[in-house]
Amino acid sequence: VQLQASGGGLVQTGDSLRLSCAASGRSFRRYNMGWFRQAPGKSREFVATIARSGDSTYYADSVRGRFAISRDNNKNTMYLQMNSLKIEDTAVYFCAANDRRDGAYARAYSYDHWGQGTQVTVSS
């Protein structure tokens, strides 16, 4: 599967942004999906994940309550709705996929396919 992340941009603190991850290739519905991010000088960190069935989601503590992950299997697309953005949310956001057993996976090593990333910059 090939993944293409989009929707990043420059926003101010408190604003909202929605990221999309479009999948092509093999059937999107067979993949568990996740969002990760990497800020300058920092390692990649987990943000959110959704099972291939859509039944399970899981969030990093830093974004829980502000971000919402979802997917539309008919459109082969995953989303990340980001609300109440903070300066510390500034990072390159990556989407990822794996075809393991249905579930929510928070570890980067669980994912076999990665998109190219989209930049999110939050300014004061």
Side-chain angles (χ1 to χ4, degrees):
V1 64
Q2 292 77 46
L3 305 174
Q4 179 78 35
S6 63
L10 174 62
V11 297
Q12 294 185 320
T13 54
D15 284 352
S16 297
L17 205 57
R18 189 176 80 158
L19 304 184
S20 298
C21 177
S24 60
R26 303 186 72 180
S27 178
F28 176 69
R29 63 183 68 246
R30 67 181 284 161
Y31 292 96
N32 305 298
M33 301 294 295
W35 286 101
F36 291 77
R37 67 186 182 186
Q38 188 166 15
K42 296 187 177 181
S43 58
R44 190 170 298 189
E45 67 172 358
F46 166 74
V47 176
T49 177
I50 185 167
R52 60 186 182 186
S53 64
D55 289 343
S56 297
T57 60
Y58 184 70
Y59 297 89
D61 289 344
S62 59
V63 306
R64 187 175 292 114
R66 299 188 297 121
F67 290 11
I69 190 171
S70 62
R71 64 189 296 159
D72 186 337
N73 286 344
N74 292 322
K75 295 183 177 180
N76 295 343
T77 303
M78 172 182 65
Y79 304 98
L80 185 68
Q81 178 66 43
M82 306 186 294
N83 299 325
S84 303
L85 282 161
K86 303 177 180 180
I87 291 177
E88 51 265 42
D89 294 319
T90 296
V92 177
Y93 284 71
F94 299 88
C95 56
N98 75 53
D99 60 356
R100 300 186 180 202
R101 185 176 62 183
D102 184 76
Y105 294 81
R107 304 292 185 182
Y109 61 70
S110 299
Y111 291 89
D112 309 302
H113 309 279
W114 292 83
Q116 86 293 351
T118 185
Q119 176 72 47
V120 173
T121 303
V122 185
S123 65
S124 60

